[in-house]
């Protein structure tokens, strides 16, 4: 166990209407076993004790599954480690003297609410437009009446693992939500349950995605590189296919 | 109308890029094949050109379609470029690209525009070359000029870069992405642009270095 | 306080059917005239919201997070039980019922648990139909595993992300209803109070976390699905926002609180490594299938594990419980780990950990097999601790995980306030004094998809309701009450932070008090001491907590302070409940009640009941009521894992 000294430059913005700026803080004696959010907790305790406003940031599960946390650290969404969320990033990956610039996830579709806390409800609206199988509760057939090959289930699970953190949007140079949208569309397109609404789903979700003001994908692959759950852009390819097929027959 | 909706959707625009991109690649294959005849002899090349021009209708339709394809590719590309620029403008104080070798993808619009510039010069020089001069002679004269050739080679390098992302990107847009073929695709994404660079660049060098002086 | 559990008559297997048949219904055309409030979007809340909206009710749904998909249920790893008997290994509804009742150490109602086992099979069908990517066999059928020491394979799973996938299924169903306009979703709202009009729950008061505004919402019924209160210990495996606030406010308005001291401590968590730590991470129980638990025989042995020879290691679980070995139930494993550490044999920097060693399993099955089984978990462990379990033994320690206690509800899941229902972890209903692995997800979804709609229809069908509106006095009063409370929390802060405490400092103090005295093993002395010390911590909070900022903005310190204020009040009934239960049962060892072999001793004579606490006002002691438990279909037996 060792400790390090850091300089933090954190985006501070009191609310959506005000202008923000980077504020510099020094934080010494950061235990390297801490998670990134615990490091921010320590900073916030210090700020509180000085009578200053602590940094607002979203978080909940702190084990990399709820998708609530996230910030851009030195230009990389969820920080420099591969396939981890901010809450699972540990301070042992930094060293004394490092300057960390911490900014909120940004996109036209993500209004900043305060400091690092942004509004990602646009992602919810994409799901609302069709990211589900329309079955009511009750009266469903026996679970085993629909055999699904293990490989197919695993492939669907690969896509279903998306935690909706929105880092893909934040890191995409165009602010595209393709990886997020494609993950849900892929999951359901790969499973027999998703077939009935397959085309409608692709049309509706892409229309909603465009309406929310997300950018266009130019296959920059940044999303895949920062995605904490390793969602592959293969899903984006699948979405393109799904969408074209849907447009040509039902659009 | 479904088509308008399609074209104006984010994925629709991409499909336009990819389709026109594919057609352009196909054109380049034929063009490269035609130009490769230069290496055989000026006669073969001239015969090829003459043969082409003996079917004016085909040439007209072909040229016209090609123009449309280029226009569509350029318009859609620039549209995407400007639409996306609104997003990326001064977004983060620090921006880091995680993807290695992202140079090509980042510079698509710029390499594209450079190719456009090349095309303007190229077409002014060749398609609108004086009717009475043999095309093989025009080629030799123009490319014999060091700076002209140099500019050409620069453009071919731009093309190489453009396609070293573009070819893979086109397939991804069409939905072709499967772990079993991805290695093959990534090889093709280097080999095809390299092929163009060698053929076109070879022609330019051939004249530039004076090897084709007796052409 | 009257505790009528309204258990339907008839034989056990017929109760649920009889009940559904005798219940009143609401005609489909009339349902849109009724409205329901659902607080919480975990498995219970999301599934209930979707189901009620599908049936035609107008639903308003609330959650603290920025999206309903982030509720704490998302973190459940292991799986969900169902009596499908797909593996043909002797499972049945009755066996699941029996295992659950027995697992809960005979402190749950037979009728409720039987219903849970009955609807468990429908849950799987429902989730499969929604496209939940459960693990499959090569032939395409659903895969199962045995979980938490169960003798049959009845646990369905989706990698180590079962909770996530089930929740996303329910979230999808909820999203569909939001799109259809039948559910109005309120994100980033914290429920601060229940509004009771003429003795019936008719609405809630919420705080908008973004603007700080207090809002009133009226409806015909209110359903709480607000999860568990494990965070009273500060450190737990629960998500950071998990709280007791909603349940506690309901309690203060008249809802009985049942078995508050029943808390499950999970044996395999990553140990605490420093006082900056904000939460604990669970490592799936399945690890105990192949890992061997041990500590050095010598106290204070600081040699690295590899240098401790075989004969100087104490495989205490295997030695003490030869037939179950490392697979003893959670409470036994947890208690023994604590015991070893209390004896000074703990390992690691804090000495609060034991080894979970895979070396033998790797030797036996090969690296590849073990990595295939546990690779995900090993990687997660390595991310957090920077040590590779393939090379060095893991270190684990017990941590607070689940709360069996909760709002008292009858068979219809209604609390003692008419019109106020509680579902999921926030009620007390089905797990008795201990919950079996993979049963919480089952209960949340059973309540939300299959039980609550019947109850609501019956309630609405049999009670004429007055019209109420958000402008009514009861709503105004409730808002005022909440406003005053917030003002009181903020009152110390005007004079700056000097000589004050932060919210977390006080919360950690409360947590330590509870962990030390009201954790896995309890005794009268400790509990009384805790009861003595609690008012001091409470006073510290009210007199000298410092909270920067105001209430009219995003103020995360204020949010936490509000939750802590409720934990501080709630802790009292937890301790009192533990004090009053002078038996060891389920998760807890009451040190005064042990067998000669130092095993937990239950006392059915005196304690075969649910303890239900009634709030009697700020300055009065809460009153204990008892719901006697009767067992007609099973015979309570003492647990033995020897
Ligand atoms: C790490 C971990 C692993 C687990 N693994 C398993 C497992 O494998 N199998 C199993 O069966 N169980 C497991 N459990 C237990 C299980 O996950 C929970 O018991 C269950 O998910 C609880 O669901 P719920 O719907 O009742 O509440 P939660 O999912 O906790 O949801 C609570 C909801 O209420 C909202 N809320 C709370 N308070 C308020 C308020 N005041 N105002 C407004 N909204 C509020 C929250 O925003 C949230 O939406 C696990 C638990 C943990 C901690
Ligand atoms: C050294 C390499 C090249 C040579 C020698 C060459 C030669 C020519 C010639 C001789 C013509 C005239 C054909 C005619 O009208 O008879 C022509 C036309 C054309 N070339 Fe090239 N070219 C080269 C590279 C390229 C490249 C790299 C591109 C594209 C990026 C390109 C695009 C075109 C186009 C668009 C036309 C017009 C076609 C038409 O009018 O139908 N050329 N080229
Ligand atoms: C004439 C000027 C050109 C311009 C301005 C231009 C511009 C662009 C731009 C901006 C893109 C990126 C779009 C994206 O990433 O989604 C692109 C992609 C592409 N370009 Fe060009 N380009 C030009 C010429 C060419 C030529 C000559 C070829 C062919 C050989 C070509 C082939 C492609 C291909 C295959 C793609 C990938 C399509 C996709 O991503 O789906 N381009 N072009
Ligand atoms: S695709 Fe990856 S980065 Fe995007 S929301 Fe899902 S988990 Fe986050
Ligand atoms: S980074 Fe953006 S451009 Fe496409 S491949 Fe990913 S969405
Ligand atoms: S806090 Fe849940 S993913 Fe980070």
């Amino acid at each position: 166990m060792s400790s390090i000294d850091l300089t933090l430059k954190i985006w501070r913005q009191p609310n959506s209407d005000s202008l923000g700026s980077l504020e510099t803080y020094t934080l010494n004696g950061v235990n390297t076993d801490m998670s990134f959010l615990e490091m921010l907790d320590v900073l916030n305790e210090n700020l509180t004790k000085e009578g200053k406003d602590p940094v607002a940031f979203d978080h909940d599960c702190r084990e990399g599954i709820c998708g609530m946390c996230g910030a851009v650290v030195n230009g990389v969404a969820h920080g420099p480690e591969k396939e981890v969320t901010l809450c699972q990033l540990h301070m042992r990956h930094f060293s004394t003297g490092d300057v960390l610039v911490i900014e909120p996830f940004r996109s036209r579709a993500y209004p900043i609410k305060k400091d690092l806390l942004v509004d990602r409800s646009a992602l919810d609206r994409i799901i609302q437009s069709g990211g589900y199988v329309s079955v009511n509760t009750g009266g469903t057939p026996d679970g085993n009446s629909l055999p699904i090959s293990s490989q197919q289930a695993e492939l669907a699970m690969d896509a279903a693992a998306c935690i909706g953190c929105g880092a893909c949007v934040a890191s995409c140079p165009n602010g595209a939500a393709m990886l997020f949208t494609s993950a849900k569309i892929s999951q359901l397109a790969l499973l027999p349950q998703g077939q009935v609404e397959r085309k409608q789903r692709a049309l509706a979700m892409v229309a909603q995605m465009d309406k929310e003001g997300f950018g266009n994908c130019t296959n920059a692959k940044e999303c895949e590189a920062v995605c904490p759950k390793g969602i592959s852009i293969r899903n984006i390819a699948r979405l393109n296919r799904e969408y074209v097929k849907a447009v040509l027959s039902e659009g | 109308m479904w088509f308008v909706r399609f074209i104006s959707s984010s994925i629709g625009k991409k499909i336009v890029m990819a389709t026109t991109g594919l057609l352009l690649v196909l054109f380049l294959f034929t063009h490269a094949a035609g130009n490769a005849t230069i290496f055989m002899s000026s006669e073969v090349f001239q015969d090829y050109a003459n043969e082409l021009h003996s079917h004016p209708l085909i040439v007209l339709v072909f040229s016209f379609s090609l123009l449309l394809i280029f226009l569509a590719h350029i318009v859609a590309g620039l549209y995407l470029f400007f639409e996306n620029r609104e997003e990326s403008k001064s977004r983060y104080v620090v921006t880091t690209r995680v993807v290695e070798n992202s140079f090509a993808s980042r510079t698509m619009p710029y390499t594209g525009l450079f190719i456009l510039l090349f095309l303007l010069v190229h077409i002014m020089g060749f398609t609108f070359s004086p009717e009475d001069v043999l095309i093989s002679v025009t080629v030799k004269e123009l490319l014999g000029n060091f700076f002209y050739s140099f500019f050409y080679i620069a453009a071919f390098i731009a093309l190489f870069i453009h396609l070293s992302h573009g070819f893979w990107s086109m397939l991804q847009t069409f939905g072709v992405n499967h772990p079993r073929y991805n290695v093959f695709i990534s090889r093709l994404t280097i080999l095809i642009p390299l092929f163009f660079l060698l053929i076109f660049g070879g022609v330019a060098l051939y004249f530039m270095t004076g090897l084709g002086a007796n052409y | 306080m009257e505790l009528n559990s309204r258990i339907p008559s008839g034989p056990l297997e017929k109760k649920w059917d009889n009940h559904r048949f005798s219940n009143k219904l609401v005609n489909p055309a009339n349902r849109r005239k009724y409205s329901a409030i659902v607080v919480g979007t975990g498995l219970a809340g999301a599934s209930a919201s979707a189901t009620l909206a599908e049936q035609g009710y107008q639903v308003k749904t609330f959650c603290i997070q920025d999206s309903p998909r982030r509720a704490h249920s998302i973190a459940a790893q292991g799986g969900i039980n169902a009596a499908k008997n797909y593996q043909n290994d002797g499972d049945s509804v009755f066996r699941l019922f029996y295992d659950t009742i027995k697992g809960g150490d005979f402190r749950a109602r037979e009728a409720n648990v039987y219903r849970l086992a009955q609807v468990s099979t429908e849950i799987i069908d429902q989730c499969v139909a929604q496209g939940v990517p459960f693990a499959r066999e090569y032939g395409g059928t659903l895969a199962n595993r045995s979980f938490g020491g169960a003798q049959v394979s009845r646990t369905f799973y989706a990698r180590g992300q079962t909770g996530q996938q089930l929740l996303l299924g329910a979230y999808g169903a909820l999203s569909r209803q939001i799109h259809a306009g039948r559910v109005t979703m309120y994100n980033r709202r914290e429920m601060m109070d229940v509004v009771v009009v003429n003795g019936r729950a008719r609405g809630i008061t919420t705080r908008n976390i973004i603007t700080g505004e207090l809002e009133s919402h009226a409806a015909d019924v209110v359903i709480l699905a607000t999860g568990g209160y494990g965070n009273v210990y500060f450190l737990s495996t629960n998500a950071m926002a998990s709280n007791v606030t909603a349940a506690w406010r309901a309690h203060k308005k008249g809802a009985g609180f049942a078995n508050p001291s029943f808390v499950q401590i999970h044996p395999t968590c990553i140990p605490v490594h420093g006082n900056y730590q904000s939460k604990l991470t669970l490592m799936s129980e399945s690890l105990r299938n192949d890992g061997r638990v041990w500590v050095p025989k010598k106290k204070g042995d600081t040699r690295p594990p590899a240098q401790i020879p075989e004969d100087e290691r104490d495989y205490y679980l295997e030695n003490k419980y030869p037939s179950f070995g490392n697979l003893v139930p959670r409470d036994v494993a947890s208690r023994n780990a604590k015991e070893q550490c209390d004896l000074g044999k703990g390992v690691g920097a804090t000495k609060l950990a034991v080894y979970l060693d895979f070396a033998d399993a790797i030797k036996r099955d090969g690296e590849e097999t073990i990595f295939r089984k546990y690779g995900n978990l090993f990687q997660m462990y390595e991310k957090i601790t920077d040590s590779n379990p393939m090379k060095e033994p893991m270190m684990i320690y017990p941590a607070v995980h689940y709360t069996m206690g909760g709002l008292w509800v009858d068979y219809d899941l209604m609390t003692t306030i008419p019109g106020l229902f509680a579902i999921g972890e926030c009620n007390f209903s089905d797990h008795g004094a201990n919950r079996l692995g993979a049963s919480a997800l089952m209960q949340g979804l059973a309540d939300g998809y299959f039980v609550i709609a019947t109850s609501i229809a019956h309630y609405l069908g049999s009670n004429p309701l007055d019209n109420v509106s958000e402008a009514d006095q009861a709503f105004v009063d409730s808002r005022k009450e909440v406003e005053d409370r917030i003002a009181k929390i903020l009152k110390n802060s005007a004079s700056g932070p000097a000589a004050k405490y932060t919210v977390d400092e006080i919360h950690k103090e409360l947590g330590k008090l509870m962990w030390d005295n009201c954790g896995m093993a309890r005794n009268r002395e400790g509990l009384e001491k805790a009861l003595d010390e609690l008012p001091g911590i409470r006073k510290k909070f009210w007199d000298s907590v410092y909270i920067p900022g105001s209430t009219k903005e995003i103020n995360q310190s204020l949010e936490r302070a509000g939750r802590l204020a409720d934990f501080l009040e709630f802790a009292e009934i937890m301790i009192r409940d533990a004090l009053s239960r002078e038996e060891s049962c389920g998760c807890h060892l009451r040190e005064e009640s042990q067998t000669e072999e130092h095993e937990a001793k239950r006392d059915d004579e005196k304690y075969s009941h649910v303890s239900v606490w009634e709030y009697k006002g700020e300055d009065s002691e809460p009153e204990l009521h008892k719901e006697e438990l009767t067992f007609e279909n099973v015979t309570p037996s003492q647990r033995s894992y020897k």
Side-chain angles (χ1 to χ4, degrees), chain A residues 168 171-179 216-224 233 236, chain B residues 172:
Chain A
C168 44
S171 67
C172 171
N174 315 320
M178 285 288 276
L179 194 62
N216 307 292
C217 174
T218 57
N219 300 332
K221 295 196 265 192
E222 292 290 332
C223 51
E224 175 186 66
I233 53 167
I236 297 185
Chain B
Q172 164 78 4

Side-chain angles (χ1 to χ4, degrees), chain A residues 8-10 12 23-28 30 34 36-50 52-55 57 102:
Chain A
L8 306 173
K9 296 189 170 185
I10 304 181
R12 301 306 306 263
E23 220 30 84
T24 307
Y25 305 96
T26 44
L27 193 62
N28 294 337
V30 174
M34 278 184 197
F36 199 88
L37 298 189
E38 283 166 346
M39 184 274 291
L40 288 180
D41 288 343
V42 171
L43 173 73
N44 278 346
E45 286 285 291
N46 293 351
L47 290 176
T48 305
K49 285 185 171 295
E50 291 164 21
K52 293 188 188 139
D53 198 24
V55 181
F57 62 92
I102 307 170

Side-chain angles (χ1 to χ4, degrees), chain A residues 11 22 72-77 82 101 103-109 168-176 178 206 209-210 213-223 225-226 232-241 243-244 247-248 250-251, chain B residues 1-3 5-15 18 77 79-102 105-106 108 165-166 168-180 182:
Chain A
W11 186 262
L22 284 181
V72 173
V73 181
N74 287 346
V76 183
K82 267 191 111 57
V101 180
E103 301 177 72
F105 280 176
R106 286 180 193 273
S107 144
R108 250 177 309 179
C168 44
V169 179
S171 67
C172 171
N174 315 320
M178 285 288 276
V206 170
M209 182 178 85
D210 291 351
F214 290 107
N216 307 292
C217 174
T218 57
N219 300 332
K221 295 196 265 192
E222 292 290 332
C223 51
V226 302
S232 156
I233 53 167
R234 190 180 170 197
N235 293 301
I236 297 185
R238 199 179 280 117
L239 166 58
N240 293 334
R241 230 158 46 216
Y243 184 71
V244 171
V247 161
L248 293 183
E250 320 235 314
Chain B
M1 225 266 278
W2 72 269
F3 191 71
R5 243 180 303 134
F6 171 56
I7 294 290
S8 50
S9 74
S10 55
I11 296 182
K13 286 176 232 159
K14 288 282 302 164
I15 297 288
Y79 188 85
L80 284 176
F81 174 56
F82 284 109
E83 206 171 72
N84 288 335
R85 217 164 75 127
E86 258 178 60
E87 177 63 59
S88 50
K89 233 179 356 196
S90 68
R91 194 145 150 242
Y92 295 109
V93 178
V94 180
T95 310
T96 311
R97 282 295 185 89
V98 182
V99 176
E100 288 156 38
N101 310 325
S102 62
S105 74
R106 261 182 292 159
M108 286 304 270
H165 173 72
W168 167 82
S169 175
M170 170 191 83
L171 291 178
Q172 164 78 4
T173 301
F174 284 137
V176 182
N177 179 331
H178 190 290
R180 190 181 301 159
N182 281 351

